[in-house]
Amino acid sequence: MSSRNNVVLIGFMGVGKGSVAREIVKHSDYLAIDTDDLIESMQNRRIKKIFEEDGEEYFRDLEKKVSCWLSTSVKNTLISTGGGFYKQKNLKDIGIVVLLNSPFESIIKRIKKHPNSVRKLKKRPLLNDLKKAKKLYDERSPQYLKLADIVIEVTNKSAQDCAKELLKKIKKR
Ligand code: S3P
């Protein structure tokens, strides 16, 4: 277990990592960062563009760079991650791993009912084909669960309730 005191939010695309992170910031002293945002600002281009211009492998290398930096240089921070970031070998060195969990169908429903749903789907290259996305979900689900120190079931809960539950569970540790 890491002594860096970070909380690392993992989970599938669209499960609500960003929304929960924003609520945690409101209800605690945590500062939050997001691995996708770090990569976009590092590259000065959107994730979608990075995938289109340089491919997924290139993007995964950028995630690796970010994970090395997080594990050596970041403390006391809430870190929300892209859905594939869990593959980083040093994930557990970064901090307590918290999984936001929900069935695939509920995640898609959640995205579709968002006022910005078209943009939310478009900006995620791996969600373009829902059949492929479901396959990815089925592959990843057991791995997410295996890595998680804490699991928050988020289906039909508000981001605020999930954030409160998460803070309570972290305090108990
Ligand atoms: C990805 C998830 C995305 C982003 C990239 C790849 C994945 O982040 O990192 O499109 O492999 O699941 P979100 O989980 O924030 O959508």
Side-chain angles (χ1 to χ4, degrees):
M1 177 75 60
S2 161
S3 57
R4 308 199 67 80
N5 238 354
N6 296 311
V7 176
V8 186
L9 279 186
I10 66 165
F12 201 68
M13 291 170 270
V15 76
K17 289 163 290 187
S19 311
V20 172
R22 283 187 285 279
E23 286 299 326
I24 291 174
V25 168
K26 264 193 225 165
H27 297 280
S28 71
D29 292 330
Y30 277 109
L31 282 183
I33 54 179
D34 179 300
T35 58
D36 284 345
D37 291 348
L38 287 170
I39 288 171
E40 287 189 340
S41 61
M42 221 158 70
Q43 290 274 310
N44 195 24
R45 53 185 176 155
R46 297 283 182 204
I47 304 283
K48 189 172 178 279
K49 260 266 144 72
I50 300 174
F51 268 70
E52 279 166 10
E53 292 176 350
D54 290 301
E56 182 172 349
E57 203 174 315
Y58 181 82
F59 173 74
R60 299 301 172 200
D61 281 345
L62 296 172
E63 286 192 315
K64 189 170 176 193
K65 214 173 187 180
V66 168
S67 78
C68 290
W69 173 71
L70 291 170
S71 67
T72 53
S73 309
V74 175
K75 284 183 175 177
N76 307 318
T77 298
L78 175 72
I79 301 159
S80 42
T81 65
F85 193 86
Y86 75 98
K87 282 192 189 151
Q88 296 305 317
K89 291 201 168 54
N90 62 350
L91 188 78
K92 303 286 260 189
D93 300 331
I94 301 174
I96 299 178
V97 177
V98 180
L99 170 65
L100 301 189
N101 201 35
S102 184
F104 182 74
E105 292 68 25
S106 311
I107 293 176
I108 300 303
K109 227 190 240 169
R110 176 181 181 274
I111 297 176
K112 285 192 170 160
K113 85 172 186 213
H114 197 278
N116 237 341
S117 63
V118 174
R119 205 189 134 262
K120 282 194 168 286
L121 281 168
K122 262 201 182 153
K123 75 169 195 177
R124 296 177 162 105
L126 300 178
L127 267 189
N128 286 346
D129 178 334
L130 285 188
K131 242 189 189 164
K132 279 191 190 158
K134 168 76 166 94
K135 193 165 167 267
L136 198 60
Y137 176 92
D138 290 340
E139 279 165 22
R140 285 179 176 178
S141 254
Q143 300 180 47
Y144 285 146
L145 285 164
K146 212 160 145 189
L147 282 164
D149 300 305
I150 294 173
V151 180
I152 310 282
E153 297 295 340
V154 304
T155 316
N156 298 328
K157 286 183 195 160
S158 68
Q160 187 176 356
D161 286 347
C162 295
K164 283 184 179 163
E165 187 179 328
L166 195 158
L167 287 168
K168 217 178 187 178
K169 286 189 172 165
I170 284 172
K171 244 187 221 160
K172 272 195 199 150
R173 291 175 65 90

